[in-house]
Amino acid sequence: MTRVPRGYIARRRRTKMRSFASNFRGAHLRLNRMITQQVKRAFVSSHRDRGRQKRDFRRLWITRINAATRVYKVFDSYSKLIHNLYKKKLILNRKMLAQVAVSNRLC
């Protein structure tokens, strides 16, 4: 039986996966099966950690605001500060409040 040259679809799929794995080391860079496993794992981790990063930054901002309110005796706690801001309809996001708390100490 004569040899049949295969199409380019599988090769194109593997080269696409290999382009994602360009910064990996060892077998994770060289072997196709390892490349697919590690790329899938990397995508799962990146998807999971995007949400985790948002959570972590929000916690950091809240901690900074709380520390500033207690040090400068604006309110007793972070929750009272946020409650009064909502009552007065001064809606600032926590990122901006944390920047003000860190950079402009007199505010």
Side-chain angles (χ1 to χ4, degrees):
M1 232 162 111
T2 58
R3 180 184 172 276
V4 177
R6 296 299 301 236
Y8 60 94
I9 294 170
R11 184 171 61 249
R12 191 170 55 185
R13 184 182 68 239
R14 288 189 196 106
T15 54
K16 184 177 179 182
M17 289 299 259
R18 193 171 290 256
S19 70
F20 287 128
S22 62
N23 292 328
F24 295 171
R25 292 175 60 189
H28 298 170
L29 174 66
R30 290 178 184 84
L31 304 177
N32 285 322
R33 188 180 297 172
M34 289 290 274
I35 286 173
T36 56
Q37 289 173 358
Q38 292 303 312
V39 166
K40 284 179 185 176
R41 184 174 180 175
F43 282 151
V44 166
S45 296
S46 68
H47 182 263
R48 181 194 63 224
D49 292 337
R50 273 195 295 273
R52 187 169 288 170
Q53 183 184 32
K54 292 182 180 87
R55 269 198 309 269
D56 290 343
F57 270 107
R58 185 181 169 100
R59 284 178 61 195
L60 175 68
W61 298 330
I62 289 172
T63 305
R64 285 180 175 172
I65 295 166
N66 192 19
T69 55
R70 287 172 193 263
V71 166
Y72 300 113
K73 296 181 177 49
V74 179
F75 286 101
D76 294 338
S77 66
Y78 164 81
S79 60
K80 289 181 182 174
L81 171 72
I82 294 296
H83 177 70
N84 286 324
L85 285 175
Y86 271 102
K87 273 203 311 196
K88 294 190 190 313
K89 296 186 175 137
L90 294 170
I91 299 172
L92 290 170
N93 62 0
R94 285 156 183 82
K95 182 179 180 181
M96 294 299 133
L97 282 173
Q99 272 187 332
V100 167
V102 169
S103 61
N104 301 343
R105 300 209 182 267
L106 299 176
C107 293

